Amino acid sequence: MSWDALYIWVEGNDDERYMNRIVVPIIERDFEYVKVIKYAGERPGAINKYIEGIRGMAKRTRAGYIFFTDIDDAPCITERKKRAIKKYKALEGKNVLVVISEIESWYLAGLRDEDCERLNIRRIDSTDNICKEEFEKILPKRFKNRVLFIAEILDCYSVEIAREKNTSLAYFLSRLDCLS
């Protein structure tokens, strides 16, 4: 299916930063309109109404959405999708994408070996199991906070390398190829 408008639902600030800096530039040429929306802290009823609005719009204008959620404590992707759909009833399973493990794993996935060396962090072959806590442990002391570290990662980010190092990111990027 080809969409003219794409709404990307993300949980928090780091997810929004990643999507706006890495994903939107990749896909904006393929869509007339792309919007990244944070849902953390919003009432499920409000999110359901917004998603229903997008689905209603899709009948006229080829609009679609992707709803991201971290796997958190779910035992598998299917269970995490079920939990998201239970909380946000307007969601359709095919539009829910699960980040493994958390967005921080996607950030670290885009680092080349030389970037890791320059940033003084260990080389990571697979970031599938990286969570926020591990990301915080990796954070070099010279960075005053995680946002500065994230900005540095984004400045040298390689999507090609990231595809190789993170399974859920590779899956998402392959899905994007099908949407445009």
Side-chain angles (χ1 to χ4, degrees), residues 3 64-68 81 91-97 175:
W3 292 333
Y65 70 92
I66 300 173
F67 189 93
F68 283 93
K81 282 185 178 192
L91 289 176
E92 297 171 289
K94 67 182 181 186
N95 295 68
V96 177
L97 279 144
R175 288 276 312 268

Side-chain angles (χ1 to χ4, degrees), residues 8 18 30 41 43-44 73 85-86 96 113 124 126 147 149 168:
I8 302 173
Y18 182 88
D30 297 324
R43 291 184 340 268
D73 62 349
I85 293 167
K86 184 176 180 182
V96 177
D113 291 348
I124 305 168
S126 170
V147 175
F149 182 48
S168 65

Side-chain angles (χ1 to χ4, degrees), residues 91-166:
L91 289 176
E92 297 171 289
K94 67 182 181 186
N95 295 68
V96 177
L97 279 144
V98 179
V99 176
I100 300 174
S101 164
E102 296 175 296
I103 196 68
E104 288 80 3
S105 67
W106 287 18
Y107 277 106
L108 292 174
L111 292 174
R112 296 174 194 87
D113 291 348
E114 57 268 23
D115 298 321
C116 291
E117 188 175 319
R118 185 178 54 77
L119 292 169
N120 199 27
I121 62 172
R122 66 179 169 83
R123 182 175 168 263
I124 305 168
D125 292 325
S126 170
T127 65
D128 287 345
N129 297 315
I130 300 287
C131 62
K132 282 178 182 45
E133 294 77 19
E134 188 164 344
F135 184 86
E136 293 292 334
K137 289 178 187 173
I138 291 170
L139 187 105
K141 297 203 185 319
R142 74 174 197 230
F143 292 98
K144 298 201 186 311
N145 61 52
R146 65 185 278 115
V147 175
L148 293 174
F149 182 48
I150 285 170
E152 187 73 22
I153 290 171
L154 292 174
D155 286 343
C156 60
Y157 198 85
S158 168
V159 174
E160 294 76 28
I161 296 294
R163 273 185 200 261
E164 296 171 15
K165 291 184 177 184
N166 191 283

Side-chain angles (χ1 to χ4, degrees), residues 9 43-59 63-67 81-96:
W9 290 86
R43 291 184 340 268
I47 293 166
N48 285 330
K49 284 182 184 177
Y50 201 137
I51 291 171
E52 288 167 1
I54 294 168
R55 290 172 57 190
M57 191 173 32
K59 295 174 184 168
Y65 70 92
I66 300 173
F67 189 93
K81 282 185 178 192
K82 285 179 186 177
R83 291 178 189 178
I85 293 167
K86 184 176 180 182
K87 183 172 183 178
Y88 305 105
K89 306 222 182 306
L91 289 176
E92 297 171 289
K94 67 182 181 186
N95 295 68
V96 177

